């Protein structure tokens, strides 16, 4: 069966510090991968998605970036965090070309607090 | 662009009450529609989906019908339980760039009291 992991689960960082959040998927190949941010009272916002290694599409201009160095690994980064980067970050995957191509499966999330 | 509007929360019900959470959407083309549920401190789980007009998605006693004429996908459950307390998100698919992206509503927090 497929599983998705995110770490760390929680993170408290000072303003101006760097960030690296990691997401890995097991039990599937060539998934589409997604990063979302959930801010209080604002629903989920798609930040980045990737259809393959090294292929990143950005949905919202900001000081965050994403990379996909391996097929099942997706990393969210920042060089300098802002207070507004605080939120709950969710990674998700989907399986294109299968019967469940339009479903997304979410990880447990990372709670980021920028102080 | 595509968008989803769902009723503002929070919603508080007593156990065994009837639940309706309204969701309407704006989309070009024919999107798939979804309800996701988020339990406290966790990620999102797919609750149900419908891929074309008049389809009814159902799971765990929850139901929603894809109504193209009213652009709606309201979530219903006949008798809620305390364990249904969670945040519910309505979403639609938005295919672009070779990937199936989801557009979410803002979420509705449901609290069920014993």
């Amino acid at each position: 069966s497929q599983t998705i992991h995110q770490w760390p689960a929680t993170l408290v960082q000072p303003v101006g510090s760097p960030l690296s959040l990691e997401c890995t998927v097991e039990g599937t190949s060539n998934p589409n991968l997604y990063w979302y941010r959930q801010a209080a009272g604002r629903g989920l916002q798609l930040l980045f998605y990737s259809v393959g290694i090294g292929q990143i599409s950005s949905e919202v201009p900001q000081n965050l970036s994403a990379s996909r160095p391996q097929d099942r690994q997706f990393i969210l980064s920042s060089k300098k965090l802002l207070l507004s980067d605080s939120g709950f970050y969710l990674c998700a995957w989907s399986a294109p070309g299968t019967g469940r191509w339009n479903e997304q499966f979410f990880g447990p999330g990372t709670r980021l607090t920028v102080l | 662009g595509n968008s989803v509007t769902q009723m503002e929360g929070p919603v508080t019900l007593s156990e065994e009450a009837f639940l309706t959470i309204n969701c309407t959407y704006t989309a070009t083309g024919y999107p798939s529609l979804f309800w996701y549920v988020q339990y406290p401190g966790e990620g999102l789980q797919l609750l149900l989906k419908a891929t074309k007009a008049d389809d009814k998605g159902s799971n765990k006693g929850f139901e929603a019908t894809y109504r193209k004429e009213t652009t709606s996908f309201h979530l219903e459950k006949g008798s809620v339980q305390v364990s249904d307390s969670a945040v519910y998100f309505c979403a639609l698919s938005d295919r672009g760039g070779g990937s199936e992206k989801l557009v979410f509503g803002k979420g509705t927090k449901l609290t069920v009291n014993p």
Side-chain angles (χ1 to χ4, degrees):
Chain A
S1 64
Q2 299 88 9
T3 55
I4 177 170
H5 304 280
Q6 285 187 247
W7 64 89
T10 60
L11 190 59
V12 180
Q13 293 284 94
V15 169
S17 63
L19 173 73
S20 181
L21 303 181
E22 189 163 343
C23 169
T24 59
V25 181
E26 296 177 354
T28 188
S29 297
N30 305 313
N32 289 341
L33 297 172
Y34 309 84
W35 277 112
Y36 291 88
R37 177 169 58 202
Q38 185 178 21
R42 297 182 62 181
L44 279 85
Q45 181 184 39
L46 178 63
L47 301 175
F48 301 94
Y49 68 93
S50 172
V51 300
I53 295 174
Q55 299 180 60
I56 308 294
S57 296
S58 174
E59 289 293 296
V60 181
Q62 60 214 320
N63 70 321
L64 299 171
S65 62
S67 62
R68 184 171 177 174
Q70 301 179 45
D71 181 45
R72 290 169 290 175
Q73 183 185 31
F74 205 24
I75 297 172
L76 183 69
S77 303
S78 174
K79 293 182 178 178
K80 289 186 177 182
L81 284 169
L82 306 173
L83 287 174
S84 57
D85 291 325
S86 294
F88 193 47
Y89 288 81
L90 289 160
C91 182
W93 69 276
S94 65
T98 71
R100 302 178 75 177
W101 55 272
N102 62 354
E103 295 180 22
Q104 290 186 20
F105 304 92
F106 286 79
T110 295
R111 175 77 58 190
L112 172 65
T113 303
V114 182
L115 301 176
Chain B
N2 296 344
S3 65
V4 174
T5 302
Q6 62 182 103
M7 63 186 289
E8 296 281 334
V11 174
T12 302
L13 297 173
S14 298
E15 208 165 22
E16 299 184 1
F18 183 85
L19 169 71
T20 299
I21 300 178
N22 291 336
C23 171
T24 57
Y25 68 91
T26 301
T28 56
Y30 304 95
S32 296
L33 301 174
F34 306 84
W35 277 101
Y36 280 83
V37 58
Q38 184 179 33
Y39 298 103
E42 299 183 7
L44 275 69
Q45 302 175 25
L46 178 64
L47 182 59
L48 54 84
K49 72 173 186 179
T51 57
K52 61 182 186 297
D54 299 325
D55 268 2
K56 177 185 284 187
S58 62
N59 186 25
K60 299 181 180 179
F62 291 89
E63 293 183 340
T65 302
Y66 190 148
R67 300 288 188 197
K68 192 171 186 298
E69 64 276 13
T70 55
T71 62
S72 65
F73 193 55
H74 305 321
L75 182 68
E76 297 182 336
K77 186 174 186 181
S79 176
V80 294
Q81 305 300 312
V82 172
S83 57
D84 294 326
S85 298
V87 180
Y88 292 82
F89 291 92
C90 185
L92 64 78
S93 63
D94 182 5
R95 170 153 281 192
S99 179
E100 196 75 20
K101 296 178 283 183
L102 290 175
V103 176
F104 286 89
K106 291 186 176 182
T108 302
K109 183 176 182 179
L110 170 66
T111 301
V112 180
N113 295 318

